[in-house]
Amino acid sequence: MNVRAAFPGQSRPAETEDERRVPYRHPQPAESPPELVIPDAVPQDERLWVPQTEDVWFRPLCLSATRGYWQNLLRVRRSGVLSRHRHPQPVHGFVLKGSWRYLEHDWVASEGAYVYEAPGETHTLVVDEGVEEMITMFQVNGAMIYVDPDGQVLAYEDVFTKIDMCRAHFEAVGLGADYVDTFIR
Ligand code: FE
């Protein structure tokens, strides 16, 4: 087996097996923030779920204050309409448990599904009867803009409102307001 193949189309010779095992030996860029590893992304500790509305929570993973997005788990334990919202920027979703759909589309996002939500789209999130619990990882860029059926703005969320919610919740449950700093990059 040839494990020494150079990258296709690149002129550098392949490294030997010993060379391949040498770690990068220079400092990382000074402006590069520290990495973030969360072993219990789906947490056992209930305090890490931040209440959103009744029977709806989010679990922060990466709150990017510098890039204006947030990566989180959304957990829902009720059926019905959750929100109608517009995305000025794309959203990426991966369904970990249960299922949900949008009134504007004929597909259902079920466990194991990946969903791309296009910038400019407005849609209405529904969890159907019979789904006891839905958990989806979402990367939301920019903002969630909550609207009425005509697109009139009712409210918004961005990474900064999410940080504020986390801070207040973590303080209230005894983790301390600063616990949110774990997730901010
Ligand atoms: Fe959406």
Side-chain angles (χ1 to χ4, degrees):
M1 186 177 65
N2 181 11
V3 295
R4 296 182 51 192
F7 291 101
Q10 297 185 16
S11 57
R12 296 252 327 170
E15 293 181 307
T16 64
E17 187 56 33
D18 282 348
E19 287 167 342
R20 286 161 62 90
R21 292 174 179 277
V22 178
Y24 180 64
R25 50 193 160 204
H26 299 281
Q28 306 295 346
E31 299 79 12
S32 178
E35 75 280 17
L36 174 54
V37 180
I38 302 175
D40 60 336
V42 183
Q44 295 298 311
D45 186 344
E46 188 60 28
R47 297 176 300 172
L48 295 171
W49 289 103
V50 181
Q52 179 88 34
T53 56
E54 195 180 346
D55 296 327
V56 180
W57 300 260
F58 72 96
R59 190 283 200 251
L61 295 171
C62 181
L63 302 168
S64 180
T66 52
R67 297 289 300 276
Y69 71 85
W70 67 101
Q71 182 95 36
N72 69 170
L73 303 184
L74 180 69
R75 184 180 74 181
V76 179
R77 287 179 174 165
R78 70 175 165 87
S79 57
V81 173
L82 295 175
S83 75
R84 185 189 309 100
H85 56 265
R86 178 184 174 108
H87 296 294
Q89 293 191 45
V91 170
H92 302 275
F94 183 76
V95 185
L96 298 173
K97 187 176 181 187
S99 65
W100 52 270
R101 64 189 174 90
Y102 287 125
L103 292 183
E104 293 78 4
H105 294 288
D106 59 6
W107 46 260
V108 176
S110 299
E111 186 174 317
Y114 162 77
V115 177
Y116 164 77
E117 304 183 14
E121 166 140 339
T122 301
H123 46 216
T124 311
L125 178 59
V126 178
V127 173
D128 281 322
E129 208 74 39
V131 178
E132 286 183 9
E133 182 177 75
M134 174 282 258
I135 299 177
T136 300
M137 182 166 72
F138 282 113
Q139 184 195 329
V140 185
N141 296 283
M144 294 271 284
I145 301 175
Y146 298 95
V147 298
D148 74 7
D150 298 312
Q152 295 299 307
V153 176
L154 304 173
Y156 77 94
E157 292 190 289
D158 61 17
V159 67
F160 304 103
T161 66
K162 295 310 241 188
I163 289 171
D164 285 345
M165 288 177 74
C166 290
R167 194 171 275 133
H169 171 72
F170 292 148
E171 178 70 21
V173 297
L175 289 167
D178 291 350
Y179 193 75
V180 72
D181 295 343
T182 313
F183 309 108
I184 297 176
R185 290 294 183 274

